[in-house]
Amino acid sequence: MRFIAVSLAILLSTTANAAPQAKAPAILADAQAPKGKLPDTATPNAYRLDFTILPEADRFSGHDEIDITLNRPERSLYMHGRDLTVTSAVAIIGGKRIPAKWTQVDKTGTARLDFPQTLAAGPLTLKFVYSAPFGDSASGMFHVKVDDKWYSWTQFESIDARAAYPGFDEPGFKTPFTVSVTTHPGLVVVGNAPEVSVAKAAGGLEKHQLAPTRPLPTYLVAIDTGPFVHETGVIPPDAERSTPMPYGAVATQAQKDKMGYVMAETPRIISLLENYFGESFPFPKLDQIGTPIMPGAMENAGADTYGDGIIFLPPGATTGDKQAFGMVVAHELSHQWFGDLVTPAWWDDIWLNESFANWMGYRIGNEWRPELNIGVGALDESFSAMNTDALVVGRPIHQPITENGQIDSAFDSITYGKGGQVVAMIAAYLGDEKFKQGVRLHLRRHAYGNATSEQFFQSIADAAQDPKVLAAFKSFVGQQGVPLVDVRRDGSKLVVTQSRYAFLGSNPPPLSWTIPFCIRAAGPKSCSLLDQKVTTIDVPGPGALVPNVGGTGYYRFNLEPSDWQALIASSAQLPPGEALATTDSLWASFRAGRAPASWLVYEARAMAGNPSAAASVDPGERLSGLHTLGLIGASSEPAYRFLIASIYGSRLAAIGFDPRFGAHASDTPDRQKLRQQLVGLMAFDAHDAGVRAKLKAAAEAYLAGDKQALDPSFLGSGFGVVAEDGGLPAAKQLVEQALSTEDSGVRQQMLGAAASGGHANVANYLFGFSDKRLRSFDRLELIGVLASVPETRELTANWILANYDKLASGNGIFITSRLPGMFNSQCGAAEADRVERELGPKIMKANVGLLEFRRMLERVRNCGVLKQAKGAEIAAALTAR
């Protein structure tokens, strides 16, 4: 999983004795240089990387040797290296040294190696001596000061390995890597393979030698160095693995007391994955590594890396924290087989890597702790992806990638949310056992190698002996868009018509799919493969029609008014997946101009009685989204608050609310999460005085030093009330306490709350705030929240537009490509026109983030259309009794 975040640049200070900053090497344009995949001039066979890493310094250095096969005689060779200062480059052929000239030829890190004469085809070794700067965000080789100690980590996906060493930075090249690191005595070095020796080195340093790895692509290499705490253990043998497996957790000193959960729970998840894949863990050891500035996780072979808050859980961790742990850890560990053992041949197939792992994350997470209901999150993610996929501007899951600047656009909700749901839909259609056999066949066919989407499709079809599955898979993978399945009664039959879903005012080109469609009523489900525009099926029995059984289908549905009313009336009895699918399709119907706003209120009241936490509050949180976007005007504010209180106040009263630490620890996880969500709606949407007073008192006691006063479930809500009521002094207190702690959960909640109060003077204070302890991830939290809060939205938009060049500079393709998403909370054509006018020329010139920019503009314009067409109707619905 490539972490998904927008990070705004803030440079961390370096130590006083750090080496002077070297000037960035010049980039000399080369019109002949490849913009994407390298020519097939050379094939790497093995790497030997020898680093000197002093985490407190500005730069690190390396000796890099690459055994390659030159596929034809050449005098120049294209490869990769970004912002490297290369002081020596030579080719060794038959013991003869041939000097070479290194030149970086574009900003994405394509480089050219020029030789004084034409080299003959055949084997040779390239040797480089170089240095490079540490990054301060989770990209390339980066370093962070935690308390008074410096640490370094790597994050190489997608094309950031080239910022750490010269190489052939493409997923299609898989070779062994032999890595060594020279550093200060006593520091811990962790990589993909086990450490085999530590020896004294010049200058009083120590050299750590790691064993050669199994074949890996460049983006899965990991090198972490620092005064880490490294706990180790052994996972006992199981049915798929005859020998014990070494595993461990790696943390900064600040997290050393929170390593128990990941150490205790990792063996169970590994065993579940080995059972599913039918094969032992494919690498000789596993370390689970935390870092404070990574907002997601990364599946480095044998050395997964996570944001601290994902794997280092404190006592009393929330249900949401545990759900995130289970899903993300299962996702990353499933990559060890699907992605690391078998790797995409090129970035246009990365969707398969991530889509499959997303599905597995929820599937295995559910097996690991069924009481946490982790699987429901997959549906939330897929329905959210539909809102992106329904835009006219977009891309299919499987998208041709011809330029480096396009690569990181593949790591979006289409890959994760849509792709994961499409995998789930096909697996449900085939049946679990047939699909699993196809996956196992795929891994056996391509172990320690590369594979394409077509090869995966073929393995699934071969195992299932059902060629029709290929048509269904390809129809969803090869084209963008969301199917709309319209269900109408015709006597004892149902007429099912498929079309392409479109938002109100939008007119995308028509498309068709092969859709695995299941519907039920009071009896068993009926399933069909919809491969025609219109299909006639039998009515599945008496009672309310429930399309999308289980919620696993990647489509939206529409019903006749009487069937909608019957389905809404049964909302409280629907299973979670079907309840979420019902809410999504109803809201989609409203946003398409079909369903009236009054149905949204009717469904929110009915669904509030559903026992599932996720399902019962989903309609209310969607209403809250309308409020945040400004579709509920100031004149309707009292009615809106009354409505939310009338729906959710009694539900909260029935289950009780005490903000003290552990007060509700004996409740089920779902009940705990429901309470957390209800408290948020009552405090900030209903603006309930009693709930707010209780939260505020507890949060103020917590900030004064009583850490038992406020449970982790209510940190965000409690600090949020303090920020709203307390203005600038409260925001300053929250920021100061946030920067004084290395508890990632508390730090994030405090910073988010500080920016959430809706005060212009707080926004201006935070825009200019500078502190050595503030990290890029922290800055993201502040600016992102300010951009989404109605009262500070315009002020923040103005600030981003005025500072965009500075924000985009030096942040890399992945971060820069997501900056336009900061404007997603704008609403209206005028707002979109302004952003397009002021920011568009810069985006077009840089050719980075163009897809996200165009999506953002369409979202903002669609919001304006909905507001104009439905604003009065929404206001009327809020006051109807």
Side-chain angles (χ1 to χ4, degrees):
M1 174 189 285
R2 177 62 155 97
F3 61 94
I4 306 290
V6 180
S7 180
L8 302 183
I10 181 160
L11 297 178
L12 304 178
S13 65
T14 56
T15 56
N17 62 347
Q21 184 69 40
K23 184 178 179 180
I27 298 175
L28 301 179
D30 177 354
Q32 303 302 313
K35 298 183 181 299
K37 187 179 290 189
L38 295 173
D40 62 351
T41 308
T43 303
N45 301 312
Y47 287 79
R48 290 174 295 281
L49 305 178
D50 182 14
F51 293 97
T52 297
I53 300 174
L54 308 180
E56 78 283 359
D58 284 338
R59 301 176 68 83
F60 61 92
S61 61
H63 291 72
D64 177 5
E65 296 185 3
I66 316 172
D67 297 334
I68 72 169
T69 299
L70 198 60
N71 296 325
R72 55 180 177 266
E74 291 288 350
R75 187 168 180 174
S76 293
L77 177 63
Y78 288 109
M79 52 187 303
H80 296 117
R82 188 174 72 233
D83 300 334
L84 308 177
T85 300
V86 177
T87 55
S88 174
V90 298
I92 309 295
I93 303 177
K96 182 180 179 182
R97 296 172 59 89
I98 301 172
K101 180 182 178 183
W102 170 274
T103 307
Q104 184 176 337
V105 295
D106 74 15
K107 64 182 180 181
T108 69
T110 303
R112 191 182 69 238
L113 203 59
D114 295 315
F115 301 98
Q117 74 251 15
T118 299
L119 304 185
L124 62 88
T125 298
L126 300 176
K127 291 189 176 184
F128 303 92
V129 179
Y130 68 98
S131 68
F134 282 109
D136 56 27
S137 63
S139 176
M141 187 174 289
F142 61 97
H143 67 171
V144 179
K145 189 177 185 181
V146 181
D147 292 330
D148 61 345
K149 296 178 174 63
W150 284 89
Y151 303 78
S152 77
W153 297 262
T154 56
Q155 166 56 39
F156 289 159
E157 192 179 29
S158 58
I159 57 172
D160 287 329
R162 62 191 64 179
Y165 58 91
F168 298 83
D169 193 16
E170 294 181 2
F173 296 124
K174 293 184 75 171
T175 77
F177 283 79
T178 303
V179 176
S180 58
V181 175
T182 300
T183 189
H184 296 298
L187 296 191
V188 173
V189 174
V190 179
N192 306 97
E195 186 174 81
V196 294
S197 67
V198 180
K200 292 182 179 180
L205 303 178
E206 288 181 339
K207 184 172 184 176
H208 297 248
Q209 182 66 56
L210 307 184
T213 70
R214 302 280 175 84
L216 297 177
T218 50
Y219 80 89
L220 290 176
V221 173
I223 309 107
D224 303 329
T225 307
F228 292 109
V229 178
H230 190 184
E231 290 196 7
T232 59
V234 174
I235 303 176
D238 57 23
E240 285 71 38
R241 181 172 32 80
S242 60
T243 59
M245 172 185 158
Y247 82 108
V250 179
T252 64
Q253 296 286 335
Q255 305 299 327
K256 64 182 179 180
D257 296 327
K258 298 179 187 175
M259 302 171 73
Y261 197 85
V262 66
M263 287 297 294
E265 301 298 336
T266 295
R268 167 70 174 155
I269 296 175
I270 287 290
S271 294
L272 289 169
L273 287 164
E274 288 181 322
N275 177 263
Y276 182 86
F277 290 120
E279 294 186 15
S280 64
F281 189 81
F283 300 100
K285 62 91 181 173
L286 169 68
D287 281 304
Q288 306 269 69
I289 303 154
T291 174
I293 67 167
M294 195 164 178
M298 179 62 207
E299 68 271 15
N300 306 308
D304 280 358
T305 306
Y306 304 82
D308 281 345
I310 296 173
I311 57 171
F312 300 138
L313 301 192
T318 68
T319 298
D321 290 338
K322 293 175 182 176
Q323 288 174 327
F325 174 93
M327 186 275 166
V328 177
V329 170
H331 175 124
E332 301 308 331
L333 292 180
S334 74
H335 270 311
Q336 300 291 313
W337 288 265
F338 210 100
D340 296 8
L341 176 66
V342 179
T343 303
W346 177 242
W347 294 111
D348 52 9
D349 283 320
I350 197 65
W351 75 269
L352 181 57
N353 219 23
E354 299 300 343
S355 298
F356 181 86
N358 225 46
W359 174 68
M360 282 294 283
Y362 288 111
R363 186 193 194 285
I364 297 298
N366 249 4
E367 287 190 58
W368 164 67
R369 292 280 298 273
E371 74 278 9
L372 291 175
N373 296 317
I374 290 172
V376 172
L379 305 181
D380 280 334
E381 197 170 344
S382 73
F383 296 140
S384 177
M386 288 183 190
N387 289 330
T388 297
D389 201 23
L391 298 172
V392 176
V393 173
R395 68 174 187 88
I397 298 177
H398 184 267
Q399 174 193 25
I401 291 176
T402 59
E403 296 185 15
N404 292 328
Q406 299 170 336
I407 293 170
D408 279 323
S409 68
F411 295 87
D412 64 0
S413 64
I414 300 304
T415 290
Y416 292 94
K418 178 179 181 177
Q421 189 73 347
V422 169
V423 171
M425 181 172 63
I426 300 301
Y429 170 73
L430 285 178
D432 188 68
E433 190 59 33
K434 284 185 178 180
F435 187 77
K436 179 168 40 176
Q437 292 306 316
V439 171
R440 291 179 173 184
L441 177 61
H442 181 68
L443 296 181
R444 289 196 301 271
R445 284 175 170 174
H446 307 288
Y448 300 107
N450 299 87
T452 65
S453 298
E454 288 292 331
Q455 289 170 317
F456 176 71
F457 294 154
Q458 193 60 56
S459 294
I460 297 297
D462 289 348
Q465 297 184 343
D466 185 353
K468 291 182 180 179
V469 73
L470 290 178
F473 233 145
K474 290 180 179 180
S475 72
F476 281 91
V477 169
Q479 59 188 3
Q480 72 174 99
V482 180
L484 175 66
V485 178
D486 189 84
V487 182
R488 304 285 168 180
R489 294 180 184 268
D490 184 8
S492 63
K493 299 290 185 180
L494 294 177
V495 178
V496 183
T497 305
Q498 65 160 292
S499 61
R500 182 177 181 181
Y501 175 78
F503 293 119
L504 185 66
S506 177
N507 187 30
L511 295 170
S512 63
W513 293 262
T514 299
I515 306 170
F517 174 73
C518 295
I519 188 169
R520 69 170 181 85
K525 68 180 179 180
S526 171
C527 295
S528 306
L529 203 60
L530 308 181
D531 57 1
Q532 303 294 321
K533 180 176 177 60
V534 180
T535 305
T536 301
I537 60 176
D538 292 331
V539 174
L545 294 175
V546 185
N548 200 355
V549 176
T552 58
Y554 188 81
Y555 54 83
R556 285 167 164 165
F557 61 81
N558 191 44
L559 301 169
E560 294 176 295
S562 59
D563 285 318
W564 265 126
Q565 296 296 315
L567 180 57
I568 291 170
S570 68
S571 294
Q573 287 75 50
L574 292 173
E578 292 168 10
L580 290 169
T582 295
T583 297
D584 178 75
S585 284
L586 178 64
W587 275 75
S589 184
F590 167 73
R591 294 184 65 187
R594 298 185 184 91
S598 58
W599 288 10
L600 307 181
V601 174
Y602 172 37
E603 198 234 9
R605 292 188 183 281
M607 192 67 79
N610 193 290
S612 163
S616 65
V617 299
D618 187 22
E621 291 179 338
R622 289 172 182 258
L623 287 169
S624 180
L626 292 182
H627 181 253
T628 298
L629 285 172
L631 274 72
I632 296 174
S635 62
S636 298
E637 185 78 23
Y640 171 68
R641 290 183 177 180
F642 179 84
L643 174 68
I644 296 297
S646 70
I647 296 174
Y648 300 107
S650 60
R651 190 84 195 270
L652 180 59
I655 64 175
F657 166 46
D658 184 341
R660 289 177 300 172
F661 182 90
H664 301 291
S666 61
D667 282 356
T668 65
D670 202 59
R671 190 179 179 94
Q672 291 177 32
K673 188 169 186 180
L674 174 62
R675 180 182 294 105
Q676 182 181 12
Q677 293 169 309
L678 290 172
V679 165
L681 285 168
M682 292 300 294
F684 300 104
D685 291 273
H687 218 79
D688 182 88
V691 172
R692 288 177 67 86
K694 195 179 287 189
L695 284 169
K696 185 176 181 180
E700 287 178 339
Y702 183 100
L703 292 168
D706 181 5
K707 303 308 180 189
Q708 300 299 306
L710 192 61
D711 190 81
S713 298
F714 308 116
L715 289 176
S717 295
F719 298 151
V721 173
V722 168
E724 283 189 355
D725 291 353
L728 184 58
K732 288 183 175 180
Q733 180 188 19
L734 287 165
V735 170
E736 175 55 36
Q737 291 209 19
L739 299 185
S740 299
T741 181
E742 289 297 340
D743 185 317
S744 58
V746 173
R747 185 182 182 109
Q748 187 176 1
Q749 296 286 6
M750 285 181 170
L751 290 172
S756 72
H759 302 289
N761 61 342
V762 171
N764 285 317
Y765 163 72
L766 294 175
F767 293 151
F769 183 76
S770 179
D771 190 297
K772 294 178 180 179
R773 299 169 296 170
L774 193 71
R775 299 168 183 151
S776 56
F777 186 36
D778 301 330
R779 176 68 71 176
L780 159 69
E781 188 69 31
L782 295 172
I783 301 300
V785 174
L786 289 169
S788 66
V789 173
E791 294 84 357
T792 57
R793 180 163 48 219
E794 290 305 314
L795 187 64
T796 306
N798 293 340
W799 185 84
I800 294 173
L801 287 171
N803 290 274
Y804 186 82
D805 289 337
K806 182 167 59 178
L807 297 178
S809 176
N811 276 309
I813 296 171
F814 186 80
I815 294 171
T816 304
S817 68
R818 281 149 179 80
L819 287 176
M822 287 291 188
F823 297 96
N824 278 333
S825 59
Q826 299 284 310
C827 185
E831 288 80 356
D833 290 346
R834 181 202 171 192
V835 175
E836 183 173 26
R837 182 175 60 251
E838 296 189 24
L839 191 55
K842 298 177 181 179
I843 298 291
M844 296 294 290
K845 181 179 180 181
N847 195 28
V848 174
L850 186 57
L851 176 59
E852 180 56 34
F853 180 69
R854 288 172 172 166
R855 281 173 170 168
M856 175 272 297
L857 293 175
E858 187 177 346
R859 288 188 188 105
V860 174
R861 292 189 173 109
N862 285 346
C863 181
V865 171
L866 185 65
K867 184 175 184 178
Q868 185 173 10
K870 293 285 192 176
E873 188 181 312
I874 293 169
L878 296 176
T879 57
R881 297 288 182 266

